[in-house]
Amino acid sequence: VSPCNIHLADIAEASKERLKELQAMPVMFHTFVVTDGEAMGHEGMKASLVSRDTIADIIELDARGHQMDGLIGLGACDKTIPGTVMGLARMNLPAVFVYGGSIKPGFYNGKKVDIVSAFEAVGAYSKGLISEEERHGIESSACPGPGACGGMYTANSMAAAMEAIGMTVPGCASVPAVAEERSEIMKQSADALMYLMEQEITPRDIMTKKAFENAIRVSMALGGSTNVVLHLLALAHELDVELSIDEFNHFYDTTPVLCDMKPAGQYVMDDLYQVGGVEMVMRMLLDRGILHGDTLTVNGKTLAENLEGVEVNLDGQDVVHDFQAPVKSNGSV
């Protein structure tokens, strides 16, 4: 029911085909979504957070009821990302998470627009600042195809956090929903799942306390959403990892915001992808000595090993700033 997740069944086919090549038998089942963008402004918003936990319940029911051997979980919006990973954590089967990717920006009169542009246009129209024709034009251009909201809102913040925590293959958070590279991400995720099943590695082996600290650190550096606090605490609860809300203050104090991302800034995930993506930001944090490089990830490599070939090049762009001139001297939450 939203652009965020509308393409997931299609991109899942790449993982299914790869699993068949690897002599596994993939079967697909669905949960659902209550998407915040459509739930705001009426009582539907009371259903939003409830939907996160119900998504985890559905995954548990289906996986437990059918005694599945491993799981690839796809999610791409505010609640399907944490809900899916919470379900994977609860089952503690070999599991890989895949983010469905961010939406490409739309264009109206030569300017980039996104879903928030549509919200702002409604306010501008109601104040008489723009015409009905312009309001409608922005609305019609804001969502040009599938993918989650482009700014560093909850979906992209949680996608980056799940890459940092080790539950996705490298680069998963940054690749846009419609990019050709997403098919390769799906195949790599199938390979990773088979490796995890062969080695009997489960989410509890990957999502340790140090891995959660990496997720918080990366979210702060990106200028991530306050909802990361809400969802990481719930995920930690599923895993019996001791994490308190007070611990986030340490990462706020010691992590500058390096990325000029919407809603506080001016860029979207597609812009970040073009200059190096979440991986480049993670490499910067690792080189700075404030990221745990020895944590395990779903492809069997450590976080540091996954980042070995990632180059940091900040020239000719202002999406990502260096530590000497950050967007903000301390974190976003």
Side-chain angles (χ1 to χ4, degrees):
V1 298
S2 72
C4 320
N5 300 285
I6 200 168
H7 62 306
L8 296 187
D10 293 331
I11 65 172
E13 293 300 322
S15 286
K16 289 174 67 177
E17 290 304 312
R18 180 59 179 156
L19 285 167
K20 288 176 182 177
E21 291 174 3
L22 297 171
Q23 304 300 305
M25 182 58 226
V27 292
M28 183 161 59
F29 67 93
H30 295 266
T31 65
F32 67 98
V33 57
V34 174
T35 179
D36 290 10
E38 295 172 40
M40 283 189 287
H42 52 81
E43 67 174 355
M45 204 60 192
K46 296 177 182 177
S48 177
L49 186 55
V50 176
S51 76
R52 180 197 71 183
D53 291 10
T54 312
I55 289 165
D57 291 344
I58 291 172
I59 291 171
E60 180 185 8
L61 285 169
D62 223 316
R64 195 179 299 280
H66 297 125
Q67 287 294 290
M68 293 177 178
D69 299 310
L71 295 164
I72 294 179
L74 280 76
C77 69
D78 290 12
K79 302 307 181 297
T80 55
I81 297 174
T84 297
V85 183
M86 286 166 63
L88 302 180
R90 191 180 301 174
M91 288 305 301
N92 202 39
L93 294 168
V96 178
F97 177 70
V98 183
Y99 177 43
S102 184
I103 197 169
K104 286 273 192 177
F107 286 88
Y108 180 73
N109 286 345
K111 293 183 178 181
K112 289 183 178 180
V113 293
D114 61 15
I115 189 64
V116 175
S117 307
F119 300 156
E120 292 170 346
V122 171
Y125 172 72
S126 67
K127 291 184 69 176
L129 301 177
I130 62 173
S131 66
E132 164 61 15
E133 180 183 13
E134 188 173 356
R135 183 208 62 77
H136 180 69
I138 293 170
E139 183 182 277
S140 300
S141 306
C143 295
C149 295
M152 199 51 65
Y153 311 112
T154 308
N156 277 322
S157 299
M158 283 302 297
M162 291 306 96
E163 183 166 340
I165 213 170
M167 282 300 291
T168 80
V169 297
C172 182
S174 308
V175 177
V178 297
E180 290 183 8
E181 295 93 326
R182 186 134 298 279
S183 179
E184 185 60 28
I185 291 287
M186 301 308 300
K187 293 175 184 177
Q188 290 175 11
S189 298
D191 290 339
L193 179 64
M194 292 301 290
Y195 171 82
L196 294 173
M197 290 198 295
E198 289 165 2
Q199 300 297 319
E200 298 183 354
I201 296 171
T202 69
R204 284 179 179 249
D205 298 316
I206 294 170
M207 290 189 281
T208 61
K209 180 62 177 287
K210 287 167 70 174
F212 271 89
E213 291 177 352
N214 283 343
I216 299 168
R217 179 80 72 187
V218 170
S219 182
M220 292 286 182
L222 293 169
S225 167
T226 54
N227 282 333
V228 168
V229 181
L230 187 75
H231 299 316
L232 287 182
L233 290 172
L235 180 58
H237 179 74
E238 295 286 354
L239 294 158
D240 297 317
V241 170
E242 291 189 13
L243 181 68
S244 77
I245 194 169
D246 296 326
E247 292 180 61
F248 285 78
N249 290 344
H250 164 72
F251 296 93
Y252 169 86
D253 291 337
T254 58
T255 314
V257 175
L258 300 176
C259 302
D260 189 13
M261 304 289 286
K262 288 187 175 186
Q266 55 182 324
Y267 295 108
V268 296
M269 182 61 97
D270 186 59
D271 298 311
L272 179 59
Y273 171 66
Q274 297 297 334
V275 300
V278 173
E279 285 181 292
M280 186 176 78
V281 178
M282 289 169 62
R283 180 60 193 261
M284 292 171 66
L285 296 171
L286 182 68
D287 291 345
R288 188 78 169 183
I290 55 176
L291 207 62
H292 302 296
D294 59 346
T295 54
L296 182 65
T297 71
V298 290
N299 65 1
K301 297 180 179 181
T302 65
L303 194 69
E305 288 171 338
N306 283 335
L307 296 173
E308 277 180 3
V310 176
E311 295 182 3
V312 177
N313 184 1
L314 304 182
D315 296 335
Q317 56 84 32
D318 58 357
V319 182
V320 182
H321 294 222
D322 63 27
F323 283 93
Q324 282 66 48
V327 175
K328 189 169 174 281
S329 59
N330 43 28
S332 55
V333 182

